Amino acid sequence: MKTIVDLPGHVKQLDVPFGGADLTDCDREPIRTPGSIQPHGVLLAVDPVNLVVMQAAGDTQRLLGIPLSRILGCVIDETLGVQVRDRIATLVKHDQLLPRPFFVADVRPGDIALDVSAYLSGGLVVLEIEQRPSPAMLDGVSLIQKMIGTVQMAGCLANLLNGITCEVQQACGFDRVMLYRFDGDGSGHVVAEAVSSENIDSFLDLHYPATDIPAQARALYCSCWIRYVPDVGYSPQRLHPDVNPSTGRSLDMSFGLLRSVSPVHLEYLANMGVAASMSLSIVIDGQLWGLIACHHQTPRYLDCRLRAALELFAQLSSLQIKARLETELAAKRANARSISSSLVASMTQQGLSALLDDKPNLLDLLPADGVAVVVDGVVSVLGATPDRASIDSLTSWLNGTMDGGIYSTSHLRNACPTIPNAQTLPPGLLALSISRSPSDYVLWFLPETVTTVKWGGKPDKIMTPGPLGDRLTPRKSFEAWVEEVRDASRPWTPVEIETATLLRVSVLEIVLKNVDLFAREQQSARAHQALLMAELDHRVKNTLATIQALVRSSKESATDLVEYTLSLEGRLRSMARTHDLLTETHWEGAPLRLLVESELSAYRPLGDPHLDIRGDNIELEPKAAITLALVLHELATNAAKYGSLSSDDGRIRVKWTVHADRGTEWLRLDWTESDGPLVSMPINSGFGRTLLEKAFAYDIRGYAKLSFDPDGVHCLLEIPAGRIVRPNRG
Amino acid sequence: MGSSISTALAGLHVLLVEDEYLQAHDVARMLETRGARVGGPCSSVMEARDILADGPVDMAILDINLGDHDVLSLAAELQDSGLPIVFLTGYARSAIDDRFASVPHVRKPAEHSTIEQALTSLVMRSDRVSDDRCAN
């Protein structure tokens, strides 16, 4: 049943949780505000001021021993006890709750052991209470270390992805764990899989179209790293009352662990014979790169701490994947350059025929089905190409079409419908013009994607499709995807286009310029390229080693998994931000102002009058930038917990100058907190202190002094001015 | 010497040159739990030379950086003097000069057990050399 209330001037709203969505509705479903939860837990939305329950959902009688009607309007100590109430009150007071839930307490108000997680949404504190499965998880930190230790040894990307699925499968015990990778067009492809036994159907190499995961779900998955449905056949539990009684707004459960999911998604899972599902996001540079999807044939409940561990593992895996992708991209580029150089060298001696006859040839440079070289109307070919007549009509069409030296398409049949037999041409074409007037060409051809796809899939088992029909099955998804990519080749990659462009420059240069001089330049460019590659490779491996050391040493100071996860995530994010800043300058330096701002902006908007950031525009060399950013991160985290960022009135001033002292020039940075709570607590984490006092001196020969003045924390940091690479541009 | 520690590294004095604190600290702690005594860790060749001047070491772990010729010349000197050394580095073997072809190479990121194995096989090798000398 679907009822749509049409409010003038408002967006259409479904008045029943999820309504009766159909496939075309997917992009409009209220997935962030479903108005209901899954029944394996209880949700209490609580006023942060008086801790009174404003909204509730779930079987409170079973888990808490009290009917839902008696919980609404009451303070939470009546249901969860004084201990949980005090814990929540403390978290609220210190502003430590986040929009993402984390584990806050365990409690046993009746016969059932419960885990309580909490997050902030729409001005309310949302408590999610789940029964703890037994046996409880033992040591999440060791588990993550074992998992990440195993996968980071993988040499190539394929091994890494296989390793990730195997580790997740072993840790969660689901029957099937798949890793989807998304292509540029949003379609998905199962690139790795681990199953619990041979009886489980394989989905390896399955493809499905972009529409199988609606755009709004993709956006949500980028910020929310885990989804979990322990029992696909569940009955949603409505939220009472359905909106916040004081604001009239629906509860945003985007990050909630208990969030009820789309019925379309549930039907898809049920059609596959899946009874429990969990998915983890792989996010790279802010984009949803892939998903780890876990399926089980029977309902399956996981400890919330195990899920937190898997979520952290997915984040660490994303970093590992990113490093491998960068390495592989760089290797491809270097390989293309080296083939290109030898092609150019043999072409210099033997002319254009060397492009096809020698080893390496044009197909080694750009792997394709076939390649044709057309010079003065003479066609030479290698591999699978269209016949001469088709190539002739293609080049006449290109003469009138090409604008610039290069043309690429993966939909050639649609692009040139007018030429004879267009439907028999291969759909992928990369054309290079290699003369001044467009008449001579190099043409590479790619076949239809569907001819190169491996997944056959098993015929679907006999089953009764759900009310939306049989479209929601892997077989039908695959067919839909095949329809979408019919008449298309795989897309040409940016590296391929770049390689072809460079080759064109070389070919033209040979024709147009002094050959000897050019060869010498090529030679020195090659040597330079090799050095750059070795340095890039070294940087990636060294960064992975630092992450490894960070994963190990963060454990020393953490008291529990939640703290370990939050602090490690924070440090990794800080490191990633610095890397982003450095990437923008090709690893020459990072602007000091941006380093300071990026750490503080997590807690206060920039421009906030309580923040005072001042100093000359200077850039720091990479090593100093990375270490200083980690130190600033510890100072900011500490200020948010105990210092001036923990109160509304608190102020922070960060000021830097360059001055001469002890015979050398120093960059002096003062971090001064004031108007915060009375300072008594020393910097909390042993790790933070170690970074400040030891790593700072060890890594960059700096000097740090931390003092706890009654007005607030003061930290003096001195860095040798030799670490400044240059005044900041602009 | 602590009799509870029975690893091949127990009692050895190992020089550790690594310019990142987190990594240096991590490897140093691993060596200490295996019973070795760590010289350093230090982040510069100058400090490394000070440690060597203070007294003999049994082996050295060096993070080499191709941009820093000092580390490479230190490595060459140590190799010539017969001191067993291991490279612990992010560089691929192929990026390192052929004159160090016989130096064991552990690629970062490395498990503790991999580093330990590389050191252990060095200990075995140098023990064999000393035994041969005795036989002569």
Side-chain angles (χ1 to χ4, degrees):
Chain A
M1 177 189 86
K2 179 166 67 176
T3 316
I4 293 185
V5 186
D6 209 348
L7 303 167
H10 286 75
V11 191
K12 286 183 179 178
Q13 289 179 334
L14 298 168
D15 78 337
V16 167
F18 275 115
D22 63 32
L23 262 179
T24 56
D25 276 341
C26 286
D27 275 338
R28 294 193 298 273
E29 280 184 279
I31 60 172
R32 290 171 186 271
T33 53
S36 59
I37 63 165
Q38 300 181 49
H40 63 277
V42 161
L43 179 148
L44 305 179
V46 175
D47 184 325
V49 178
N50 53 19
L51 300 187
V52 165
V53 178
M54 308 288 284
Q55 288 176 279
D59 189 348
T60 56
Q61 183 70 55
R62 185 176 72 83
L63 287 182
L64 305 172
I66 309 177
L68 195 138
S69 55
R70 279 185 41 212
I71 289 181
L72 287 170
C74 295
V75 180
I76 53 167
D77 53 2
E78 292 170 36
T79 43
L80 293 169
V82 181
Q83 225 180 334
V84 174
R85 184 202 63 195
D86 288 350
R87 171 88 169 118
I88 301 297
T90 308
L91 289 168
V92 169
K93 183 172 165 227
H94 293 298
D95 205 11
Q96 285 173 321
L97 288 167
L98 302 170
R100 285 167 51 182
F102 59 85
F103 172 80
V104 293
D106 49 26
V107 64
R108 184 190 278 273
D111 298 335
I112 300 178
L114 302 172
D115 286 325
V116 183
S117 305
Y119 65 98
L120 284 178
S121 175
L124 296 178
V125 177
V126 183
L127 303 180
E128 298 190 302
I129 301 151
E130 290 179 69
Q131 179 169 0
R132 175 177 323 154
S134 59
M137 187 187 175
L138 295 176
D139 181 359
V141 178
S142 301
L143 175 70
I144 296 170
Q145 292 189 314
K146 180 237 158 200
M147 292 173 80
I148 204 75
T150 308
V151 301
Q152 74 176 358
M153 292 302 126
C156 65
L157 181 64
N159 285 350
L160 174 66
L161 300 181
N162 277 326
I164 290 170
T165 54
C166 287
E167 288 301 316
V168 172
Q169 200 278 323
Q170 281 174 24
C172 72
F174 275 57
D175 289 327
R176 180 195 303 120
V177 174
M178 297 178 283
L179 200 149
Y180 302 140
R181 178 178 181 166
F182 297 117
D183 287 338
D185 62 359
S187 65
H189 176 198
V190 181
V191 290
E193 183 180 59
V195 292
S196 61
S197 85
E198 290 172 359
N199 303 327
I200 305 296
D201 293 345
S202 173
F203 287 133
L204 193 61
D205 272 318
L206 172 73
H207 288 257
Y208 56 89
T211 46
D212 271 20
I213 301 182
Q216 58 154 335
R218 276 171 213 266
L220 178 59
Y221 295 176
C222 272
S223 47
C224 167
W225 290 67
I226 186 166
R227 277 77 47 198
Y228 169 60
V229 184
D231 183 356
V232 167
Y234 74 88
S235 318
Q237 305 285 303
R238 294 191 58 149
L239 199 56
H240 295 280
D242 57 349
V243 293
N244 180 336
S246 39
T247 63
R249 283 167 55 189
S250 304
L251 185 67
D252 186 331
M253 303 186 200
S254 295
F255 297 105
L257 306 164
L258 294 173
R259 182 172 58 84
S260 195
V261 304
S262 155
V264 177
H265 180 55
L266 293 176
E267 186 169 329
Y268 188 88
L269 292 171
N271 286 351
M272 267 194 278
V274 170
S277 142
M278 176 171 66
S279 71
L280 302 158
S281 303
I282 304 284
V283 177
I284 294 179
D285 294 335
Q287 302 288 315
L288 188 67
W289 184 88
L291 283 180
I292 302 169
C294 311
H295 292 161
H296 204 66
Q297 290 177 327
T298 52
R300 187 165 179 85
Y301 294 87
L302 296 183
D303 191 318
C304 69
R305 277 155 292 197
L306 173 59
R307 293 184 338 242
L310 289 170
E311 189 179 349
L312 178 59
F313 178 68
Q315 300 184 6
L316 289 168
S317 295
S318 298
L319 288 170
Q320 299 280 339
I321 292 172
K322 179 179 173 179
R324 295 312 188 290
L325 288 171
E326 282 173 356
T327 309
E328 293 196 354
L329 195 63
K332 271 186 192 156
R333 194 170 270 147
N335 185 42
R337 299 253 164 117
S338 120
I339 293 177
S340 185
S341 311
S342 44
L343 270 179
V344 169
S346 47
M347 192 171 46
T348 315
Q349 292 167 358
Q350 300 157 44
L352 286 172
S353 64
L355 292 176
L356 296 179
D357 300 344
D358 275 17
K359 251 324 193 183
N361 55 47
L362 286 175
L363 286 185
D364 298 306
L365 183 68
L366 287 189
D369 250 20
V371 63
V373 177
V374 185
V375 175
D376 296 336
V378 181
V379 180
S380 329
V381 299
L382 182 66
T385 58
D387 59 28
R388 301 295 154 103
S390 300
I391 290 180
D392 285 344
S393 40
L394 191 56
T395 51
S396 332
W397 175 76
L398 284 169
N399 287 343
T401 307
M402 260 177 92
D403 179 21
I406 185 160
Y407 172 82
S408 69
T409 177
S410 49
H411 294 90
L412 180 60
R413 294 167 191 173
N414 300 340
C416 63
T418 50
I419 75 173
N421 299 326
Q423 293 316 307
T424 64
L425 290 174
L429 170 70
L430 200 163
L432 276 192
S433 151
I434 51 167
S435 57
R436 272 186 163 161
S437 56
S439 58
D440 298 345
Y441 296 100
V442 176
L443 308 169
W444 283 273
F445 299 100
L446 283 181
E448 257 188 296
T449 305
V450 283
T451 61
T452 61
V453 169
K454 280 175 286 179
W455 189 67
K458 286 190 178 175
D460 284 336
K461 289 173 186 150
I462 295 168
M463 60 170 158
T464 320
L468 298 176
D470 64 356
R471 166 60 185 84
L472 294 175
T473 60
R475 162 67 62 193
K476 292 291 177 184
S477 273
F478 186 72
E479 287 173 11
W481 175 80
V482 165
E483 273 319 301
E484 271 191 18
V485 299
R486 193 168 294 293
D487 283 335
S489 70
R490 69 160 175 83
W492 296 96
T493 66
V495 174
E496 287 171 330
I497 307 271
E498 176 190 311
T499 303
T501 309
L502 286 175
L503 178 75
R504 174 170 183 270
V505 174
S506 305
V507 172
L508 289 179
E509 210 134 1
I510 286 177
V511 177
L512 302 173
K513 281 197 173 174
N514 181 308
V515 175
D516 275 352
L517 177 68
F518 183 61
R520 268 205 301 276
E521 279 176 5
Q522 278 287 97
Q523 183 64 37
S524 97
R526 244 167 100 180
H528 182 62
Q529 181 76 15
L531 185 66
L532 285 181
M533 292 312 308
E535 287 299 336
L536 175 65
D537 192 27
H538 167 259
R539 187 191 307 144
V540 169
K541 295 295 190 295
N542 201 47
T543 301
L544 288 174
T546 303
I547 291 173
Q548 185 186 43
L550 203 54
V551 168
R552 287 186 185 135
S553 60
S554 294
K555 186 187 183 186
E556 292 168 21
S557 57
T559 49
D560 61 36
L561 178 62
V562 177
E563 193 196 326
Y564 174 76
T565 306
L566 291 174
S567 59
L568 180 57
E569 271 180 30
R571 286 166 193 152
L572 290 175
R573 268 201 297 272
S574 163
M575 211 157 105
R577 277 195 300 264
T578 313
H579 279 220
D580 286 347
L581 288 177
L582 287 167
T583 303
E584 285 172 16
T585 62
H586 304 284
W587 283 76
E588 285 167 10
L592 175 56
R593 178 177 304 277
L594 293 184
L595 290 177
V596 174
E597 288 179 352
S598 73
E599 290 304 336
L600 287 172
S601 63
Y603 302 102
R604 293 281 186 277
L606 293 175
D608 183 309
H610 295 91
L611 296 183
D612 180 6
I613 302 173
R614 59 173 82 171
D616 292 339
N617 286 337
I618 52 174
E619 288 189 10
L620 288 177
E621 55 100 30
K623 194 165 172 184
I626 290 169
T627 305
L628 179 64
L630 277 174
V631 166
L632 291 172
H633 175 74
E634 297 300 323
L635 287 170
T637 311
N638 197 64
K641 278 188 187 163
Y642 315 106
S644 64
L645 287 175
S646 70
S647 76
D648 289 341
D649 300 331
R651 294 173 179 277
I652 291 191
R653 192 182 63 194
V654 184
K655 188 182 142 197
W656 61 89
T657 51
V658 177
H659 70 110
D661 184 21
R662 288 157 276 170
T664 41
E665 292 239 297
W666 296 83
L667 167 64
R668 174 188 170 128
L669 186 147
D670 282 282
W671 170 287
T672 314
E673 299 181 25
S674 60
D675 299 319
L678 193 66
V679 170
S680 55
M681 176 76 80
I683 199 160
N684 183 46
S685 116
F687 179 78
R689 203 145 192 156
T690 303
L691 264 178
L692 197 67
E693 289 174 349
K694 300 204 175 136
F696 201 65
Y698 191 95
D699 284 357
I700 57 180
R701 313 267 150 201
Y703 166 78
K705 183 164 179 293
L706 186 66
S707 50
F708 300 98
D709 303 341
D711 292 348
V713 170
H714 174 237
C715 184
L716 163 68
L717 299 170
E718 292 207 286
I719 299 171
R723 299 283 181 179
I724 300 173
V725 282
R726 60 179 164 199
N728 196 359
R729 295 150 299 178
Chain B
M1 203 70 254
S3 59
S4 60
I5 298 167
S6 61
T7 73
L9 306 183
L12 291 180
H13 190 197
V14 183
L15 171 66
L16 175 56
V17 184
E18 160 61 64
D19 71 349
E20 288 205 25
Y21 178 80
L22 287 174
Q23 295 185 36
H25 176 68
D26 180 53
V27 174
R29 274 199 338 138
M30 182 279 285
L31 291 172
E32 280 160 3
T33 57
R34 307 294 194 275
R37 195 154 59 87
V38 177
C42 58
S43 63
S44 74
V45 169
M46 211 168 68
E47 290 168 282
R49 289 190 192 284
D50 286 348
I51 291 168
L52 290 166
D54 274 356
V57 301
D58 297 301
M59 53 180 59
I61 304 177
L62 304 179
D63 171 23
I64 48 168
N65 185 335
L66 297 188
D68 181 354
H69 295 290
D70 288 352
V71 184
L72 291 178
S73 56
L74 176 68
E77 280 170 42
L78 294 179
Q79 190 181 20
D80 291 345
S81 74
L83 185 79
I85 56 177
V86 175
F87 290 150
L88 175 58
T89 176
Y91 286 109
R93 169 109 250 174
S94 59
I96 301 170
D97 196 308
D98 284 344
R99 70 187 151 140
F100 298 114
S102 65
V103 175
H105 168 254
V106 178
R107 186 92 192 264
K108 290 180 186 177
E111 283 298 282
H112 286 163
S113 57
T114 315
I115 303 172
E116 190 181 0
Q117 261 166 24
L119 294 174
T120 305
S121 56
L122 266 192
V123 174
M124 311 291 239
R125 217 196 293 173
S126 58
D127 279 356
R128 239 190 343 268
V129 172
S130 347
D131 290 350
D132 289 348
R133 277 186 197 145
C134 292
N136 290 338

